[in-house]
Amino acid sequence: MPSTPSVALIGIALLGNLVSGFSCGAPMPPLPTSSSSTFRLRNSMPPHHRTILSSYSTNYFYGRGNPLQHSPFASNNVLTIRGGALGASTSSSADDANKSSPAVVKDLNLTAGNILASLWGSCGVVYILVKAIKRVLPIALEPFSKNGGVVPLTQFQLAAYILTCLWFAYVEGYKGFQRKFSPLVVSRSFTLHPSSSPIHHVLLAPLYSMGLFHATKKRMIVSWSVSLGVATIVAAVKRLPYPWRNIVDAGVVFGLTWGTISILGGYIISLITGIAPIDVDPELPEKKTQ
C-alpha cells in the first residue's frame, strides 16, 4: 500500500492535469465526428450545454476562426473557463474570485505620473538604505585597513566576521528584505496615483511605501516597531568595542545591500512586466462604507 506522501503526490499530479485541461493555454480537443457519438454526447448534456456544443461544432468544423472566440465564456480575449466544467464560471464570477483571492495577478496602470510616483516611493527607500550602507561601510572595512594603528583580526574574529556576514545576508537580506519587506515596498509604491492619491502620500512616498502610515493597523505596528527596534540596536552596537562593532556592522552592510538589490530588482521586474508583485498584499486600510 503506498505511503501517505506518495498518495498526496499522486493526488496533486491528477489535480494538476485536471486544471491544465481547462487552462487558457490548452486548446479544446476536437469533438467526435461520428453522428451517433455526437448524438449520445448531446443527449447526456444539459440543454444549455447542447447549445454551446452546437455553436462550437459549427465554428470548429467549418473553419470560422477560433471557435473559442464565439464562446460565451470568452471575453476580451481572456478565456474564463478555469478549473471547472462548461458553464461553471462566468466573467462576473471570475471577477468575484479575483477580488477574494490574494494570489491574483494585478495589472499595473503604468502612466507617466504613476511611474514617477512609484519610482519616488521605491527608490526613496533605496536611497535611505544606500545612505545607511555608506555610513556603516567604512567601519565594517576598518579591520582590513592598511593603517598601522589597526589591530588585525585573529582567526577566531575573522571566522566570526564571515559567519556574521552570512547570517545577516540570510536572515536580514533574504528572509527579511527579499521575502517580506521589499515586495511590500514595491507593491505599495505602485498604489500611488498622483491624480487620486492625497498629496502627502506622494510627497512622503518612501515612508508610505514602508507602511509607516495609511496602512492596516497591524502593518503600522510592525513597521514602526521594526524602525524603532533597528534604531535601538544601532545605538547599542555603537557602544561595542573593536572589533565586535566592526563585525556586526559588516553583517549589517551585507543585509542592507541585499535588501537594496531586492527592492531595485523587484521594482524593475514589475515595471517591465506591468504586473504587481504576486501574492503580496499592500496592506492598505479598508475603505469605510457609508
Side-chain angles (χ1 to χ4, degrees):
M1 185 175 182
S3 61
T4 302
S6 300
V7 173
L9 290 175
I10 293 173
I12 292 172
L14 292 175
L15 288 175
N17 290 331
L18 179 62
V19 172
S20 65
F22 290 98
S23 65
C24 298
M28 189 173 290
L31 295 176
T33 56
S34 170
S35 58
S36 59
S37 59
T38 305
F39 179 79
R40 288 194 300 270
L41 178 61
R42 287 177 176 171
N43 287 341
S44 64
M45 299 176 67
H48 63 284
H49 285 182
R50 297 177 197 173
T51 305
I52 298 170
L53 177 62
S54 299
S55 175
Y56 173 81
S57 302
T58 302
N59 292 313
Y60 186 85
F61 291 111
Y62 292 96
R64 297 184 183 176
N66 183 0
L68 295 181
Q69 294 177 352
H70 303 275
S71 170
F73 305 113
S75 176
N76 298 328
N77 296 325
V78 177
L79 184 64
T80 57
I81 302 176
R82 187 179 291 274
L86 287 173
S89 174
T90 62
S91 58
S92 60
S93 62
D95 292 340
D96 294 338
N98 289 344
K99 293 179 182 177
S100 62
S101 174
V104 151
V105 177
K106 181 181 178 182
D107 293 332
L108 300 174
N109 182 16
L110 297 179
T111 61
N114 294 346
I115 291 176
L116 290 176
S118 64
L119 184 66
W120 167 225
S122 291
C123 292
V125 178
V126 169
Y127 175 73
I128 295 173
L129 296 178
V130 169
K131 283 192 66 176
I133 294 171
K134 185 179 179 180
R135 185 172 61 253
V136 176
L137 184 59
I139 302 173
L141 297 178
E142 185 181 359
F144 307 101
S145 176
K146 301 287 185 173
N147 296 334
V150 177
V151 179
L153 299 177
T154 64
Q155 290 186 351
F156 174 76
Q157 292 169 344
L158 181 60
Y161 191 101
I162 296 173
L163 291 176
T164 301
C165 291
L166 294 176
W167 189 83
F168 270 86
Y170 176 72
V171 175
E172 183 185 8
Y174 175 71
K175 295 192 71 175
F177 274 97
Q178 183 175 334
R179 300 286 294 175
K180 297 179 181 179
F181 184 72
S182 299
L184 175 72
V185 168
V186 175
S187 179
R188 287 181 61 88
S189 71
F190 278 110
T191 63
L192 290 169
H193 307 291
S195 59
S196 57
S197 298
I199 184 63
H200 66 283
H201 289 185
V202 178
L203 293 177
L204 302 176
L207 303 182
Y208 170 91
S209 299
M210 294 168 65
L212 294 177
F213 68 95
H214 193 69
T216 60
K217 183 178 180 180
K218 179 181 178 181
R219 168 44 53 190
M220 287 193 293
I221 291 175
V222 171
S223 296
W224 279 105
S225 299
V226 170
S227 300
L228 295 177
V230 169
T232 304
I233 293 174
V234 168
V237 169
K238 287 182 178 181
R239 300 179 180 273
L240 292 176
Y242 176 90
W244 303 110
R245 177 188 176 183
N246 310 76
I247 291 174
V248 174
D249 284 343
V252 171
V253 169
F254 266 78
L256 294 181
T257 302
W258 193 309
T260 301
I261 295 173
S262 64
I263 293 175
L264 283 176
Y267 179 79
I268 292 173
I269 290 174
S270 292
L271 195 62
I272 293 175
T273 61
I275 299 174
I278 301 173
D279 293 339
V280 178
D281 182 7
E283 300 189 45
L284 298 176
E286 295 183 0
K287 294 182 179 180
K288 296 181 180 180
T289 57
Q290 299 294 336

